[in-house]
Amino acid sequence: MSEERRALRELARLYGVQETYSNVFGKRVRAGVDSTIAVLQAMGAPVPSLRDATDALQARKEELARRPLEPVIVAWNGRLSEAEVRVPASEAERDVQLAITPEGEDPGEWEKVTPRIEAPPEAGFVPARVALGRRLPAGRHDLWVNAAEGPIRALVLSAPQRCPQPDG
């Protein structure tokens, strides 16, 4: 497999694009290069051709490394024990300000928490975890992080791991 093809596969993975599936007969089917590129382009990836895959992969890795917070977080059974944040490497030792609110509400108060560094810096940002230790009611909530560029919000979905079964 060429280096460009490897880069395209990794790029697809970073965009959440599944390149293989099992058909109705149980046979594994792999998407073609052109199909994968078309799906990635539809998702906004800067990959007009296979030879652009390596540069697009690098750009996606940097984009993800700089994302302060994942856009959606699931709190299974209402438990939100911690969250991953990415902080500028220059601020890695500082506390992070965050808030949890019902969806659609702005934070009233900010809580300071100390991030636990998870890995070395990447693209000038450090991945870290912040302890939250929260129990949320079922539904939609917002997790806010007060970042240098302003407040960043993630949708928190608090849901049971199993749907309740009807009686009978």
Side-chain angles (χ1 to χ4, degrees):
M1 180 183 303
S2 74
E3 190 62 37
E4 291 163 335
R5 180 72 177 111
R6 273 196 230 25
L8 184 67
R9 289 182 75 185
E10 176 70 6
L11 182 63
R13 187 187 70 73
L14 291 178
Y15 272 94
V17 174
Q18 185 174 331
E19 282 194 291
T20 62
Y21 66 94
S22 296
N23 69 14
V24 70
F25 302 108
K27 183 179 177 191
R28 198 87 171 140
V29 179
R30 179 173 296 283
V33 169
D34 292 339
S35 298
T36 302
I37 289 172
V39 169
L40 288 169
Q41 286 176 328
M43 297 182 79
V47 60
S49 70
L50 181 59
R51 70 180 162 261
D52 300 302
T54 303
D55 290 340
L57 173 62
Q58 186 60 36
R60 180 65 173 171
K61 285 181 176 180
E62 288 179 14
E63 174 190 346
L64 293 175
R66 291 175 182 198
R67 180 188 285 171
L69 197 57
E70 290 299 318
V72 178
I73 299 169
V74 178
W76 291 115
N77 292 330
R79 290 185 184 97
L80 187 60
S81 57
E82 62 182 14
E84 183 179 332
V85 297
R86 287 170 212 78
V87 295
S90 60
E91 299 176 19
E93 301 301 320
R94 295 186 189 156
D95 285 347
V96 173
Q97 290 184 323
L98 57 86
I100 298 175
T101 64
E103 184 184 34
E105 292 185 17
D106 289 334
E109 288 185 29
W110 294 92
E111 175 184 342
K112 287 185 179 184
V113 294
T114 303
R116 187 178 74 242
I117 305 304
E118 293 279 297
E122 194 174 327
F125 283 72
V126 178
R129 293 212 169 266
V130 290
L132 301 171
R134 300 291 173 83
R135 204 51 204 202
L136 301 173
R140 299 163 62 107
H141 309 271
D142 289 328
L143 171 63
W144 296 84
V145 172
N146 202 4
E149 61 273 11
I152 305 290
R153 179 179 56 92
L155 174 64
V156 178
L157 301 173
S158 178
Q161 281 188 299
R162 299 178 138 240
C163 288
Q165 297 296 314
D167 293 333

